[in-house]
Amino acid sequence: MYEGTGKASAPLKARVTIGSGFHIYNKFAAVDNLNGDGRTGLVGVNGYGDLYRYASTGTGELSKRVLIDYDFNEYKALY
């Protein structure tokens, strides 16, 4: 993952690893405050169409995934 710097001249910080196993997702997006904690989290759709959420812990790590819904393969992208 690349964290933003807020500077147009150097918009991204160095890449950091936030976890493993994300290759199972064919769609992936960062979402703002999905669970009401004020932090950005991640959502991903796997090959079966299951939509999962990873909440930020606020410590640079992610929570365990939570199934949100299914049948998301009908959508071309996440925004």
Coordinates of all heavy atoms in Angstrom, one line a residue:
M1 N 0.8 -1.1 0.0 CA 0.0 0.0 0.0 C 0.9 1.2 0.0 O 2.0 1.2 0.6 CB -0.9 0.0 1.2 CG -1.8 1.2 1.3 SD -3.0 1.2 2.6 CE -4.3 0.4 1.7
Y2 N 0.4 2.3 -0.6 CA 1.2 3.5 -0.7 C 0.3 4.6 0.1 O -0.8 4.9 -0.4 CB 1.4 4.0 -2.1 CG 2.2 3.0 -2.9 CD1 1.7 2.0 -3.6 CD2 3.6 3.2 -3.0 CE1 2.5 1.1 -4.4 CE2 4.4 2.4 -3.7 CZ 3.9 1.4 -4.4 OH 4.7 0.5 -5.1
E3 N 0.9 5.1 1.1 CA 0.2 6.2 1.9 C 0.5 7.5 1.2 O 1.6 7.8 0.6 CB 0.8 6.3 3.3 CG 0.1 7.3 4.1 CD 0.6 7.3 5.6 OE1 1.5 6.5 5.9 OE2 0.2 8.2 6.3
G4 N -0.6 8.4 1.1 CA -0.4 9.7 0.5 C 0.4 10.6 1.4 O 0.4 10.5 2.6
T5 N 1.0 11.6 0.8 CA 1.8 12.6 1.5 C 1.1 14.0 1.6 O 1.4 14.8 2.4 CB 3.1 12.9 0.8 OG1 2.9 13.4 -0.5 CG2 4.0 11.6 0.8
G6 N 0.1 14.2 0.6 CA -0.5 15.5 0.6 C 0.3 16.5 -0.2 O -0.1 17.7 -0.3
K7 N 1.4 16.1 -0.8 CA 2.2 17.0 -1.6 C 2.1 16.6 -3.1 O 2.4 15.4 -3.4 CB 3.7 16.9 -1.2 CG 3.9 17.2 0.3 CD 5.3 17.0 0.7 CE 5.6 17.1 2.1 NZ 6.9 16.8 2.5
A8 N 1.8 17.5 -3.9 CA 1.7 17.3 -5.4 C 3.1 16.9 -6.0 O 3.2 16.0 -6.9 CB 1.2 18.5 -6.1
S9 N 4.2 17.4 -5.4 CA 5.5 17.1 -6.0 C 6.0 15.7 -5.6 O 6.8 15.1 -6.3 CB 6.5 18.1 -5.4 OG 6.6 18.0 -4.0
A10 N 5.5 15.1 -4.6 CA 5.8 13.7 -4.1 C 4.5 13.1 -3.5 O 4.5 13.1 -2.2 CB 7.0 13.7 -3.2
P11 N 3.6 12.7 -4.3 CA 2.3 12.3 -3.7 C 2.2 11.1 -2.9 O 1.3 10.9 -2.1 CB 1.4 12.2 -5.0 CG 2.3 11.9 -6.1 CD 3.6 12.6 -5.7
L12 N 3.2 10.2 -3.0 CA 3.1 8.9 -2.3 C 4.4 8.6 -1.5 O 5.5 8.9 -1.9 CB 2.9 7.7 -3.2 CG 1.6 7.8 -4.1 CD1 1.7 6.7 -5.1 CD2 0.4 7.8 -3.3
K13 N 4.1 8.1 -0.3 CA 5.3 7.6 0.5 C 5.7 6.2 0.0 O 5.1 5.7 -0.9 CB 4.8 7.4 2.0 CG 4.5 8.8 2.7 CD 4.2 8.5 4.1 CE 3.9 9.9 4.8 NZ 3.5 9.7 6.2
A14 N 6.7 5.7 0.6 CA 7.3 4.4 0.2 C 6.2 3.3 0.4 O 5.4 3.4 1.4 CB 8.5 4.0 0.9
R15 N 6.2 2.2 -0.4 CA 5.3 1.1 -0.3 C 5.5 0.4 1.0 O 6.7 0.1 1.4 CB 5.5 0.2 -1.4 CG 4.6 -1.0 -1.4 CD 4.8 -1.9 -2.6 NE 6.1 -2.5 -2.6 CZ 6.6 -3.2 -3.5 NH1 5.9 -3.5 -4.6 NH2 7.8 -3.7 -3.4
V16 N 4.4 0.0 1.7 CA 4.5 -0.9 2.9 C 3.5 -2.0 2.7 O 2.5 -1.9 2.1 CB 4.2 -0.1 4.2 CG1 5.2 1.0 4.5 CG2 2.8 0.5 4.1
T17 N 3.9 -3.2 3.3 CA 3.0 -4.3 3.3 C 2.0 -4.2 4.4 O 2.4 -4.0 5.6 CB 3.9 -5.6 3.5 OG1 4.8 -5.7 2.4 CG2 3.0 -6.9 3.5
I18 N 0.8 -4.4 4.1 CA -0.3 -4.3 5.1 C -0.9 -5.7 5.5 O -1.7 -5.8 6.3 CB -1.4 -3.4 4.7 CG1 -2.1 -3.8 3.4 CG2 -0.9 -2.0 4.6 CD1 -3.3 -3.1 3.1
G19 N -0.5 -6.7 4.7 CA -1.0 -8.1 4.9 C -0.7 -9.0 3.8 O 0.0 -8.6 2.9
S20 N -1.2 -10.2 3.8 CA -1.0 -11.1 2.7 C -2.4 -11.8 2.4 O -3.3 -11.7 3.2 CB 0.0 -12.1 3.1 OG -0.4 -12.9 4.2
G21 N -2.4 -12.4 1.3 CA -3.6 -13.2 0.9 C -4.6 -12.3 0.1 O -5.7 -12.8 -0.2
F22 N -4.3 -11.1 -0.2 CA -5.2 -10.2 -0.9 C -5.4 -10.6 -2.4 O -6.2 -10.1 -3.1 CB -4.8 -8.8 -0.8 CG -4.9 -8.3 0.6 CD1 -3.8 -8.0 1.4 CD2 -6.2 -8.1 1.2 CE1 -3.9 -7.5 2.7 CE2 -6.3 -7.6 2.5 CZ -5.2 -7.3 3.2
H23 N -4.6 -11.5 -2.9 CA -4.7 -12.0 -4.3 C -6.0 -12.7 -4.6 O -6.3 -12.9 -5.8 CB -3.5 -12.9 -4.6 CG -3.5 -14.2 -3.8 ND1 -3.1 -14.2 -2.5 CD2 -3.9 -15.4 -4.2 CE1 -3.2 -15.5 -2.1 NE2 -3.7 -16.2 -3.1
I24 N -6.7 -13.1 -3.6 CA -8.0 -13.7 -3.8 C -9.1 -12.8 -4.3 O -10.2 -13.2 -4.7 CB -8.5 -14.5 -2.6 CG1 -8.9 -13.5 -1.5 CG2 -7.5 -15.5 -2.1 CD1 -9.7 -14.1 -0.3
Y25 N -8.8 -11.5 -4.2 CA -9.8 -10.5 -4.6 C -9.6 -10.0 -6.0 O -8.5 -9.7 -6.4 CB -9.8 -9.3 -3.7 CG -10.1 -9.7 -2.2 CD1 -9.1 -9.8 -1.3 CD2 -11.4 -10.0 -1.9 CE1 -9.4 -10.2 0.0 CE2 -11.7 -10.4 -0.6 CZ -10.7 -10.5 0.3 OH -11.0 -10.9 1.6
N26 N -10.7 -9.9 -6.8 CA -10.6 -9.4 -8.2 C -11.0 -8.0 -8.2 O -10.9 -7.3 -9.3 CB -11.3 -10.3 -9.2 CG -12.8 -10.6 -8.8 OD1 -13.4 -9.7 -8.1 ND2 -13.3 -11.7 -9.2
K27 N -11.6 -7.5 -7.2 CA -11.9 -6.0 -7.1 C -11.5 -5.6 -5.6 O -11.7 -6.3 -4.7 CB -13.4 -5.8 -7.3 CG -14.0 -6.2 -8.6 CD -15.5 -6.0 -8.7 CE -16.0 -6.7 -9.9 NZ -16.1 -8.2 -9.8
F28 N -11.0 -4.4 -5.5 CA -10.5 -3.9 -4.2 C -10.6 -2.4 -4.2 O -10.3 -1.8 -5.2 CB -9.0 -4.4 -4.1 CG -8.6 -4.7 -2.7 CD1 -9.2 -5.8 -2.0 CD2 -7.6 -3.9 -2.1 CE1 -8.8 -6.1 -0.7 CE2 -7.2 -4.2 -0.8 CZ -7.8 -5.3 -0.1
A29 N -11.0 -1.9 -3.1 CA -11.1 -0.4 -3.0 C -10.9 0.0 -1.5 O -11.2 -0.7 -0.6 CB -12.4 0.1 -3.5
A30 N -10.4 1.2 -1.4 CA -10.3 1.9 0.0 C -11.6 2.7 0.1 O -12.1 3.3 -0.8 CB -9.1 2.8 0.0
V31 N -12.2 2.6 1.3 CA -13.5 3.2 1.6 C -13.4 4.0 2.9 O -12.7 3.6 3.8 CB -14.6 2.2 1.7 CG1 -15.0 1.6 0.3 CG2 -14.4 1.1 2.7
D32 N -14.0 5.2 2.9 CA -13.9 6.1 4.1 C -15.0 5.8 5.1 O -16.2 5.8 4.7 CB -14.0 7.5 3.6 CG -13.7 8.5 4.6 OD1 -12.8 8.2 5.5 OD2 -14.2 9.6 4.6
N33 N -14.6 5.5 6.3 CA -15.5 5.4 7.4 C -16.7 4.5 7.2 O -17.8 4.8 7.6 CB -16.0 6.8 7.8 CG -16.5 6.9 9.2 OD1 -16.2 6.1 10.0 ND2 -17.4 7.9 9.4
L34 N -16.5 3.3 6.7 CA -17.5 2.4 6.4 C -18.2 1.9 7.7 O -19.4 1.6 7.6 CB -17.0 1.2 5.6 CG -18.0 0.2 5.0 CD1 -18.9 0.9 4.0 CD2 -17.3 -1.0 4.4
N35 N -17.5 1.7 8.8 CA -18.1 1.2 10.0 C -18.3 2.3 11.1 O -18.6 1.9 12.2 CB -17.3 0.0 10.5 CG -15.9 0.4 10.9 OD1 -15.5 1.5 10.7 ND2 -15.2 -0.5 11.6
G36 N -18.2 3.5 10.7 CA -18.5 4.6 11.7 C -17.3 4.9 12.6 O -17.6 5.7 13.6
D37 N -16.1 4.4 12.4 CA -15.0 4.6 13.4 C -14.2 5.8 13.0 O -13.2 6.2 13.7 CB -14.2 3.4 13.5 CG -13.4 3.0 12.3 OD1 -13.6 3.7 11.2 OD2 -12.7 2.0 12.3
G38 N -14.5 6.5 11.8 CA -13.7 7.6 11.4 C -12.5 7.3 10.6 O -11.7 8.2 10.3
R39 N -12.2 6.0 10.4 CA -11.0 5.6 9.7 C -11.3 5.0 8.3 O -12.4 4.4 8.1 CB -10.2 4.6 10.5 CG -9.7 5.2 11.8 CD -8.9 4.1 12.5 NE -9.1 4.3 13.9 CZ -9.5 3.4 14.7 NH1 -9.6 2.2 14.4 NH2 -9.7 3.7 16.0
T40 N -10.4 5.1 7.4 CA -10.5 4.4 6.1 C -10.3 2.9 6.2 O -9.4 2.5 6.9 CB -9.5 5.0 5.1 OG1 -9.8 6.4 5.0 CG2 -9.6 4.4 3.7
G41 N -11.1 2.2 5.6 CA -10.9 0.7 5.5 C -10.8 0.2 4.1 O -10.7 1.0 3.2
L42 N -10.8 -1.1 3.9 CA -10.7 -1.7 2.6 C -11.9 -2.6 2.4 O -12.4 -3.3 3.3 CB -9.4 -2.5 2.5 CG -8.1 -1.7 2.7 CD1 -6.9 -2.7 2.7 CD2 -7.9 -0.7 1.6
V43 N -12.3 -2.7 1.2 CA -13.3 -3.7 0.8 C -12.8 -4.5 -0.4 O -12.0 -3.9 -1.2 CB -14.7 -3.2 0.5 CG1 -15.4 -2.6 1.7 CG2 -14.6 -2.1 -0.6
G44 N -13.1 -5.8 -0.5 CA -12.7 -6.6 -1.7 C -13.8 -7.6 -2.0 O -14.5 -8.0 -1.2
V45 N -13.8 -7.9 -3.3 CA -14.7 -8.9 -3.8 C -13.9 -10.1 -4.3 O -13.0 -9.9 -5.2 CB -15.6 -8.4 -5.0 CG1 -16.5 -9.4 -5.6 CG2 -16.4 -7.2 -4.6
N46 N -14.2 -11.3 -3.8 CA -13.5 -12.5 -4.3 C -14.1 -13.1 -5.5 O -15.1 -12.6 -6.0 CB -13.4 -13.5 -3.1 CG -14.7 -14.1 -2.7 OD1 -15.7 -14.0 -3.4 ND2 -14.7 -14.8 -1.6
G47 N -13.6 -14.2 -6.0 CA -14.0 -14.8 -7.2 C -15.4 -15.4 -7.1 O -16.1 -15.6 -8.2
Y48 N -16.0 -15.6 -5.9 CA -17.3 -16.0 -5.8 C -18.3 -14.9 -5.7 O -19.5 -15.1 -5.7 CB -17.4 -16.8 -4.5 CG -16.6 -18.1 -4.5 CD1 -15.4 -18.1 -3.7 CD2 -16.9 -19.2 -5.2 CE1 -14.6 -19.2 -3.7 CE2 -16.1 -20.3 -5.2 CZ -15.0 -20.3 -4.4 OH -14.2 -21.4 -4.4
G49 N -17.8 -13.6 -5.7 CA -18.7 -12.5 -5.6 C -19.0 -12.0 -4.2 O -19.8 -11.2 -4.0
D50 N -18.3 -12.6 -3.2 CA -18.5 -12.2 -1.8 C -17.7 -10.9 -1.5 O -16.6 -10.8 -1.9 CB -18.0 -13.3 -0.9 CG -18.6 -14.6 -1.1 OD1 -19.8 -14.6 -1.4 OD2 -18.0 -15.6 -0.8
L51 N -18.4 -9.9 -0.9 CA -17.8 -8.6 -0.6 C -17.4 -8.6 0.9 O -18.2 -8.9 1.8 CB -18.9 -7.5 -0.8 CG -18.4 -6.1 -0.4 CD1 -17.3 -5.6 -1.4 CD2 -19.6 -5.2 -0.5
Y52 N -16.1 -8.4 1.1 CA -15.6 -8.4 2.5 C -15.1 -7.0 2.9 O -14.6 -6.3 2.0 CB -14.4 -9.4 2.6 CG -14.9 -10.8 2.6 CD1 -14.9 -11.6 1.5 CD2 -15.3 -11.4 3.8 CE1 -15.3 -12.9 1.5 CE2 -15.7 -12.7 3.9 CZ -15.7 -13.5 2.7 OH -16.1 -14.8 2.7
R53 N -15.1 -6.7 4.2 CA -14.6 -5.4 4.7 C -13.5 -5.7 5.6 O -13.5 -6.7 6.4 CB -15.7 -4.7 5.5 CG -15.2 -3.5 6.3 CD -16.3 -2.8 7.1 NE -17.1 -3.7 7.9 CZ -16.8 -3.9 9.2 NH1 -15.7 -3.4 9.8 NH2 -17.5 -4.7 10.0
Y54 N -12.4 -4.9 5.5 CA -11.3 -4.9 6.5 C -11.3 -3.5 7.1 O -11.0 -2.5 6.4 CB -10.0 -5.2 5.8 CG -9.8 -6.5 5.2 CD1 -10.3 -6.8 4.0 CD2 -9.1 -7.5 6.0 CE1 -10.1 -8.1 3.4 CE2 -9.0 -8.8 5.4 CZ -9.4 -9.1 4.2 OH -9.3 -10.3 3.6
A55 N -11.5 -3.4 8.4 CA -11.5 -2.1 9.1 C -10.1 -1.8 9.5 O -9.3 -2.7 9.9 CB -12.4 -2.1 10.3
S56 N -9.8 -0.5 9.5 CA -8.5 -0.1 10.1 C -8.5 -0.2 11.6 O -9.5 0.1 12.2 CB -8.2 1.3 9.6 OG -7.0 1.8 10.3
T57 N -7.4 -0.6 12.2 CA -7.4 -0.7 13.7 C -6.8 0.6 14.2 O -6.9 0.8 15.5 CB -6.4 -1.8 14.1 OG1 -5.1 -1.5 13.7 CG2 -6.9 -3.2 13.6
G58 N -6.3 1.5 13.4 CA -5.7 2.8 13.8 C -4.3 2.6 14.2 O -3.6 3.6 14.7
T59 N -3.7 1.4 14.1 CA -2.3 1.1 14.5 C -1.5 0.7 13.3 O -0.4 0.2 13.4 CB -2.3 0.0 15.5 OG1 -2.8 -1.2 14.9 CG2 -3.0 0.3 16.8
G60 N -2.1 0.9 12.1 CA -1.4 0.5 10.8 C -1.7 -0.9 10.4 O -1.1 -1.4 9.5
E61 N -2.6 -1.5 11.1 CA -3.0 -2.9 10.8 C -4.5 -2.9 10.5 O -5.2 -1.9 10.7 CB -2.7 -3.8 12.0 CG -1.3 -3.9 12.3 CD -1.0 -4.9 13.5 OE1 -2.0 -5.5 14.0 OE2 0.1 -5.0 13.9
L62 N -4.9 -4.1 9.9 CA -6.3 -4.2 9.6 C -7.0 -5.3 10.4 O -6.3 -6.2 10.9 CB -6.4 -4.7 8.1 CG -5.9 -3.7 7.1 CD1 -5.9 -4.3 5.7 CD2 -6.8 -2.4 7.1
S63 N -8.3 -5.1 10.7 CA -9.0 -6.1 11.4 C -9.2 -7.4 10.6 O -8.9 -7.4 9.4 CB -10.4 -5.6 11.8 OG -11.2 -5.4 10.6
K64 N -9.7 -8.5 11.2 CA -10.1 -9.6 10.4 C -11.2 -9.3 9.5 O -12.0 -8.4 9.8 CB -10.5 -10.8 11.3 CG -9.4 -11.3 12.2 CD -9.8 -12.5 12.9 CE -8.7 -13.1 13.8 NZ -7.6 -13.7 13.1
R65 N -11.3 -10.0 8.3 CA -12.3 -9.6 7.4 C -13.7 -10.0 7.9 O -13.9 -10.9 8.7 CB -12.0 -10.3 6.0 CG -12.3 -11.8 6.0 CD -12.0 -12.4 4.7 NE -12.4 -13.8 4.7 CZ -12.4 -14.5 3.6 NH1 -12.0 -14.0 2.4 NH2 -12.8 -15.8 3.6
V66 N -14.7 -9.2 7.4 CA -16.1 -9.4 7.7 C -16.9 -9.4 6.4 O -16.7 -8.5 5.6 CB -16.6 -8.2 8.6 CG1 -18.1 -8.3 8.9 CG2 -15.8 -8.1 9.9
L67 N -17.7 -10.5 6.3 CA -18.5 -10.6 5.1 C -19.6 -9.5 5.1 O -20.4 -9.4 6.1 CB -19.1 -12.0 5.0 CG -20.1 -12.2 3.8 CD1 -19.3 -12.1 2.5 CD2 -20.8 -13.6 3.9
I68 N -19.7 -8.7 4.1 CA -20.8 -7.7 4.0 C -22.0 -8.2 3.2 O -23.1 -8.1 3.7 CB -20.2 -6.4 3.3 CG1 -19.1 -5.8 4.2 CG2 -21.4 -5.4 3.1 CD1 -18.5 -4.6 3.5
D69 N -21.7 -8.8 2.1 CA -22.8 -9.3 1.2 C -22.2 -10.2 0.1 O -21.0 -10.4 0.1 CB -23.5 -8.1 0.5 CG -25.0 -8.3 0.2 OD1 -25.4 -9.5 0.2 OD2 -25.7 -7.4 0.0
Y70 N -23.0 -10.7 -0.7 CA -22.6 -11.6 -1.8 C -23.2 -11.1 -3.1 O -24.0 -10.2 -3.2 CB -23.0 -13.0 -1.5 CG -24.4 -13.2 -1.1 CD1 -25.3 -13.6 -2.1 CD2 -24.9 -13.1 0.2 CE1 -26.7 -13.7 -1.8 CE2 -26.2 -13.2 0.5 CZ -27.1 -13.6 -0.5 OH -28.4 -13.7 -0.2
D71 N -22.9 -11.8 -4.2 CA -23.4 -11.5 -5.6 C -22.8 -10.2 -6.1 O -23.5 -9.5 -6.9 CB -24.9 -11.5 -5.6 CG -25.5 -12.9 -5.7 OD1 -24.7 -13.8 -6.1 OD2 -26.7 -13.1 -5.5
F72 N -21.6 -9.8 -5.7 CA -21.0 -8.6 -6.2 C -20.2 -8.8 -7.5 O -19.7 -7.9 -8.0 CB -20.1 -7.9 -5.2 CG -20.9 -7.0 -4.3 CD1 -21.8 -7.5 -3.3 CD2 -20.8 -5.7 -4.4 CE1 -22.5 -6.7 -2.5 CE2 -21.6 -4.8 -3.7 CZ -22.4 -5.3 -2.7
N73 N -20.2 -10.0 -8.1 CA -19.6 -10.2 -9.4 C -20.3 -9.6 -10.5 O -19.7 -9.4 -11.6 CB -19.4 -11.7 -9.6 CG -18.2 -12.3 -9.0 OD1 -17.3 -11.5 -8.6 ND2 -18.1 -13.6 -8.8
E74 N -21.6 -9.2 -10.3 CA -22.3 -8.5 -11.4 C -21.8 -7.1 -11.6 O -22.1 -6.5 -12.6 CB -23.8 -8.5 -11.1 CG -24.2 -7.7 -9.8 CD -25.7 -7.8 -9.5 OE1 -26.0 -8.8 -8.8 OE2 -26.4 -7.0 -10.0
Y75 N -21.1 -6.6 -10.6 CA -20.5 -5.2 -10.8 C -19.1 -5.2 -11.4 O -18.3 -6.1 -11.0 CB -20.5 -4.5 -9.4 CG -21.9 -4.4 -8.8 CD1 -22.3 -5.3 -7.8 CD2 -22.8 -3.5 -9.3 CE1 -23.5 -5.2 -7.2 CE2 -24.0 -3.4 -8.7 CZ -24.4 -4.3 -7.7 OH -25.7 -4.2 -7.1
K76 N -18.8 -4.3 -12.2 CA -17.5 -4.3 -12.9 C -16.4 -3.7 -12.0 O -15.3 -4.0 -12.2 CB -17.6 -3.5 -14.2 CG -18.5 -4.1 -15.2 CD -18.5 -3.4 -16.5 CE -19.4 -4.1 -17.5 NZ -19.3 -3.5 -18.8
A77 N -16.8 -2.8 -11.1 CA -15.7 -2.2 -10.3 C -16.3 -1.7 -9.0 O -17.5 -1.6 -8.8 CB -15.1 -1.0 -11.1
L78 N -15.4 -1.4 -8.0 CA -15.8 -0.8 -6.8 C -15.3 0.6 -6.8 O -14.2 0.9 -7.3 CB -15.2 -1.5 -5.6 CG -15.6 -3.0 -5.4 CD1 -14.7 -3.6 -4.3 CD2 -17.1 -3.1 -5.1
Y79 N -16.0 1.6 -6.3 CA -15.6 3.0 -6.2 C -15.7 3.5 -4.8 O -16.5 3.2 -4.0 CB -16.5 3.8 -7.1 CG -16.5 3.4 -8.6 CD1 -17.4 2.6 -9.1 CD2 -15.5 3.9 -9.4 CE1 -17.4 2.2 -10.4 CE2 -15.4 3.5 -10.7 CZ -16.4 2.7 -11.2 OH -16.3 2.3 -12.5

